[in-house]
Amino acid sequence: MEDCIFCKIVRGEIPAEKVYEDDNFIGILDANPKVEGHTLIIPKKHFKTLLDMPNSLGNEMTEGVKKISLKLIEDGKAEGFNLVANNFEVAGQIVPHVHFHIIPRKKGDGLKILA
Ligand code: AMP
Ligand code: ZN
């Protein structure tokens, strides 16, 4: 997708803080983090929502989520985490290229994830 911001990041045309990469996914720090370490996991291929992404990528995506989350915990940036995916505009999806938010949580952080 020519104009998609996440496709541009995958192609290296605009900068991002990449914290993870495997064959089919990248992990980048969110440009407007809810907390330090707020990470997005993004497939390298363009799919609009989770409904468009083939199931065959599911295991690899889960593996990426687990590696990123475990590192956040090991680095002391998280004690737990929320995994959030906004699908379709009505659910708050702003970037129409499927992605999951990994949001680090700590005791007493007061974050309201869906508010
Ligand atoms: P949503 O589609 O609602 O999941 O929101 C898109 C998320 O992508 C927001 O949290 C933005 O802060 C984040 N975002 C948008 N553009 C960039 C970018 N160029 N680099 C990193 N994160 C971005
Ligand atoms: Zn895209």
Short mmCIF file of all heavy atoms in Angstrom, two decimals, residues 61-92:
data_model
loop_
_atom_site.label_atom_id
_atom_site.label_comp_id
_atom_site.label_asym_id
_atom_site.label_seq_id
_atom_site.Cartn_x
_atom_site.Cartn_y
_atom_site.Cartn_z
N MET A 61 2.54 -14.11 15.15
CA MET A 61 2.18 -12.86 15.82
C MET A 61 2.15 -13.06 17.34
O MET A 61 2.67 -12.25 18.10
CB MET A 61 0.83 -12.35 15.32
CG MET A 61 0.53 -10.94 15.79
SD MET A 61 -0.86 -10.26 14.87
CE MET A 61 -0.72 -8.53 15.25
N THR A 62 1.56 -14.18 17.76
CA THR A 62 1.51 -14.47 19.20
C THR A 62 2.92 -14.61 19.76
O THR A 62 3.22 -14.11 20.85
CB THR A 62 0.73 -15.78 19.45
OG1 THR A 62 -0.55 -15.66 18.84
CG2 THR A 62 0.54 -16.03 20.93
N GLU A 63 3.78 -15.26 19.00
CA GLU A 63 5.17 -15.42 19.44
C GLU A 63 5.84 -14.05 19.59
O GLU A 63 6.54 -13.80 20.57
CB GLU A 63 5.92 -16.28 18.42
CG GLU A 63 7.20 -16.87 18.94
CD GLU A 63 7.91 -17.73 17.90
OE1 GLU A 63 7.28 -18.08 16.87
OE2 GLU A 63 9.09 -18.01 18.12
N GLY A 64 5.59 -13.17 18.63
CA GLY A 64 6.15 -11.82 18.70
C GLY A 64 5.63 -11.06 19.91
O GLY A 64 6.40 -10.42 20.63
N VAL A 65 4.34 -11.15 20.15
CA VAL A 65 3.73 -10.49 21.32
C VAL A 65 4.41 -10.98 22.59
O VAL A 65 4.76 -10.20 23.48
CB VAL A 65 2.21 -10.75 21.38
CG1 VAL A 65 1.64 -10.34 22.73
CG2 VAL A 65 1.49 -10.03 20.24
N LYS A 66 4.60 -12.29 22.68
CA LYS A 66 5.18 -12.87 23.89
C LYS A 66 6.64 -12.43 24.07
O LYS A 66 7.07 -12.09 25.18
CB LYS A 66 5.08 -14.40 23.84
CG LYS A 66 3.64 -14.86 24.04
CD LYS A 66 3.42 -16.28 23.64
CE LYS A 66 3.90 -17.26 24.69
NZ LYS A 66 3.46 -18.65 24.36
N LYS A 67 7.40 -12.40 22.97
CA LYS A 67 8.81 -11.98 23.09
C LYS A 67 8.92 -10.51 23.51
O LYS A 67 9.72 -10.15 24.36
CB LYS A 67 9.53 -12.20 21.75
CG LYS A 67 9.85 -13.66 21.51
CD LYS A 67 10.62 -13.86 20.21
CE LYS A 67 10.98 -15.33 20.02
NZ LYS A 67 11.31 -15.65 18.64
N ILE A 68 8.09 -9.66 22.88
CA ILE A 68 8.13 -8.22 23.21
C ILE A 68 7.72 -8.01 24.66
O ILE A 68 8.37 -7.27 25.41
CB ILE A 68 7.21 -7.44 22.25
CG1 ILE A 68 7.78 -7.44 20.82
CG2 ILE A 68 7.00 -6.00 22.74
CD1 ILE A 68 6.78 -7.00 19.74
N SER A 69 6.65 -8.68 25.08
CA SER A 69 6.12 -8.49 26.44
C SER A 69 7.11 -9.00 27.49
O SER A 69 7.34 -8.34 28.51
CB SER A 69 4.81 -9.25 26.60
OG SER A 69 3.92 -8.91 25.59
N LEU A 70 7.68 -10.15 27.21
CA LEU A 70 8.65 -10.73 28.16
C LEU A 70 9.84 -9.79 28.33
O LEU A 70 10.32 -9.57 29.45
CB LEU A 70 9.10 -12.10 27.66
CG LEU A 70 9.97 -12.90 28.62
CD1 LEU A 70 9.22 -13.17 29.93
CD2 LEU A 70 10.40 -14.22 27.99
N LYS A 71 10.29 -9.20 27.22
CA LYS A 71 11.43 -8.28 27.30
C LYS A 71 11.06 -7.04 28.12
O LYS A 71 11.86 -6.54 28.92
CB LYS A 71 11.89 -7.89 25.90
CG LYS A 71 13.08 -6.95 25.91
CD LYS A 71 13.99 -7.12 24.72
CE LYS A 71 15.34 -6.44 24.88
NZ LYS A 71 15.36 -5.17 25.58
N LEU A 72 9.84 -6.53 27.93
CA LEU A 72 9.40 -5.37 28.72
C LEU A 72 9.42 -5.70 30.21
O LEU A 72 9.84 -4.88 31.04
CB LEU A 72 7.99 -4.95 28.28
CG LEU A 72 7.90 -4.24 26.93
CD1 LEU A 72 6.45 -4.21 26.42
CD2 LEU A 72 8.45 -2.81 27.03
N ILE A 73 9.00 -6.92 30.55
CA ILE A 73 8.99 -7.34 31.95
C ILE A 73 10.42 -7.50 32.46
O ILE A 73 10.79 -7.00 33.52
CB ILE A 73 8.16 -8.64 32.12
CG1 ILE A 73 6.68 -8.33 31.87
CG2 ILE A 73 8.38 -9.25 33.49
CD1 ILE A 73 5.79 -9.56 31.74
N GLU A 74 11.25 -8.16 31.65
CA GLU A 74 12.66 -8.38 32.06
C GLU A 74 13.41 -7.06 32.20
O GLU A 74 14.30 -6.93 33.04
CB GLU A 74 13.36 -9.27 31.03
CG GLU A 74 12.96 -10.73 31.15
CD GLU A 74 13.50 -11.60 30.01
OE1 GLU A 74 14.05 -11.05 29.03
OE2 GLU A 74 13.34 -12.82 30.11
N ASP A 75 13.07 -6.08 31.37
CA ASP A 75 13.73 -4.77 31.44
C ASP A 75 13.17 -3.87 32.54
O ASP A 75 13.58 -2.71 32.68
CB ASP A 75 13.59 -4.03 30.10
CG ASP A 75 14.43 -4.67 29.00
OD1 ASP A 75 15.26 -5.55 29.32
OD2 ASP A 75 14.27 -4.29 27.82
N GLY A 76 12.18 -4.37 33.27
CA GLY A 76 11.61 -3.59 34.38
C GLY A 76 10.64 -2.52 33.93
O GLY A 76 10.27 -1.65 34.71
N LYS A 77 10.20 -2.59 32.67
CA LYS A 77 9.26 -1.58 32.17
C LYS A 77 7.81 -2.02 32.37
O LYS A 77 6.90 -1.23 32.12
CB LYS A 77 9.52 -1.29 30.69
CG LYS A 77 10.83 -0.56 30.47
CD LYS A 77 11.05 -0.24 29.01
CE LYS A 77 12.39 0.48 28.85
NZ LYS A 77 12.99 0.24 27.54
N ALA A 78 7.59 -3.25 32.74
CA ALA A 78 6.23 -3.75 32.92
C ALA A 78 6.21 -4.85 33.98
O ALA A 78 7.19 -5.57 34.16
CB ALA A 78 5.70 -4.33 31.59
N GLU A 79 5.06 -4.89 34.67
CA GLU A 79 4.80 -6.04 35.56
C GLU A 79 3.75 -6.94 34.92
O GLU A 79 3.62 -8.11 35.27
CB GLU A 79 4.31 -5.53 36.91
CG GLU A 79 5.37 -4.72 37.66
CD GLU A 79 4.79 -3.90 38.81
OE1 GLU A 79 3.56 -3.90 39.01
OE2 GLU A 79 5.59 -3.24 39.49
N GLY A 80 3.00 -6.37 34.00
CA GLY A 80 2.00 -7.08 33.21
C GLY A 80 1.76 -6.24 31.96
O GLY A 80 2.44 -5.24 31.75
N PHE A 81 0.80 -6.65 31.16
CA PHE A 81 0.55 -5.87 29.94
C PHE A 81 -0.86 -6.10 29.43
O PHE A 81 -1.47 -7.14 29.68
CB PHE A 81 1.57 -6.24 28.84
CG PHE A 81 1.54 -7.69 28.43
CD1 PHE A 81 0.80 -8.10 27.33
CD2 PHE A 81 2.24 -8.65 29.15
CE1 PHE A 81 0.77 -9.43 26.95
CE2 PHE A 81 2.21 -9.99 28.78
CZ PHE A 81 1.47 -10.39 27.67
N ASN A 82 -1.38 -5.11 28.74
CA ASN A 82 -2.63 -5.24 28.00
C ASN A 82 -2.30 -5.39 26.52
O ASN A 82 -1.38 -4.75 26.01
CB ASN A 82 -3.53 -4.02 28.18
CG ASN A 82 -4.06 -3.89 29.58
OD1 ASN A 82 -3.59 -3.07 30.36
ND2 ASN A 82 -5.03 -4.72 29.92
N LEU A 83 -3.09 -6.24 25.86
CA LEU A 83 -2.97 -6.43 24.41
C LEU A 83 -4.27 -5.90 23.80
O LEU A 83 -5.34 -6.40 24.10
CB LEU A 83 -2.81 -7.92 24.14
CG LEU A 83 -2.47 -8.37 22.74
CD1 LEU A 83 -1.17 -7.75 22.27
CD2 LEU A 83 -2.36 -9.90 22.73
N VAL A 84 -4.15 -4.86 22.99
CA VAL A 84 -5.35 -4.18 22.47
C VAL A 84 -5.26 -4.08 20.95
O VAL A 84 -4.22 -3.70 20.40
CB VAL A 84 -5.46 -2.75 23.05
CG1 VAL A 84 -6.65 -2.01 22.46
CG2 VAL A 84 -5.57 -2.80 24.57
N ALA A 85 -6.34 -4.40 20.27
CA ALA A 85 -6.41 -4.21 18.82
C ALA A 85 -7.71 -3.48 18.49
O ALA A 85 -8.80 -3.98 18.82
CB ALA A 85 -6.35 -5.55 18.10
N ASN A 86 -7.60 -2.32 17.91
CA ASN A 86 -8.77 -1.58 17.45
C ASN A 86 -9.03 -1.98 16.00
O ASN A 86 -8.16 -1.79 15.15
CB ASN A 86 -8.52 -0.07 17.53
CG ASN A 86 -8.15 0.38 18.94
OD1 ASN A 86 -8.69 -0.14 19.91
ND2 ASN A 86 -7.24 1.33 19.05
N ASN A 87 -10.19 -2.54 15.75
CA ASN A 87 -10.52 -2.98 14.39
C ASN A 87 -11.73 -2.22 13.86
O ASN A 87 -12.80 -2.27 14.47
CB ASN A 87 -10.81 -4.48 14.37
CG ASN A 87 -9.54 -5.30 14.55
OD1 ASN A 87 -8.79 -5.52 13.61
ND2 ASN A 87 -9.27 -5.70 15.78
N PHE A 88 -11.54 -1.52 12.78
CA PHE A 88 -12.51 -0.65 12.12
C PHE A 88 -12.62 0.68 12.90
O PHE A 88 -12.41 0.74 14.10
CB PHE A 88 -13.90 -1.31 11.96
CG PHE A 88 -13.87 -2.55 11.10
CD1 PHE A 88 -13.85 -3.81 11.68
CD2 PHE A 88 -13.84 -2.45 9.71
CE1 PHE A 88 -13.81 -4.96 10.89
CE2 PHE A 88 -13.81 -3.60 8.91
CZ PHE A 88 -13.79 -4.85 9.50
N GLU A 89 -12.96 1.71 12.12
CA GLU A 89 -13.01 3.07 12.64
C GLU A 89 -13.91 3.20 13.86
O GLU A 89 -13.59 3.89 14.83
CB GLU A 89 -13.52 3.98 11.52
CG GLU A 89 -12.88 5.35 11.51
CD GLU A 89 -13.32 6.15 10.29
OE1 GLU A 89 -13.30 5.59 9.17
OE2 GLU A 89 -13.69 7.32 10.49
N VAL A 90 -15.04 2.49 13.82
CA VAL A 90 -16.01 2.59 14.91
C VAL A 90 -15.42 2.13 16.24
O VAL A 90 -15.85 2.54 17.31
CB VAL A 90 -17.31 1.80 14.55
CG1 VAL A 90 -17.06 0.30 14.56
CG2 VAL A 90 -18.44 2.17 15.49
N ALA A 91 -14.40 1.28 16.16
CA ALA A 91 -13.73 0.78 17.36
C ALA A 91 -12.48 1.58 17.68
O ALA A 91 -11.70 1.21 18.56
CB ALA A 91 -13.38 -0.70 17.18
N GLY A 92 -12.28 2.69 16.95
CA GLY A 92 -11.14 3.56 17.25
C GLY A 92 -9.91 3.31 16.40
O GLY A 92 -8.84 3.86 16.70
#
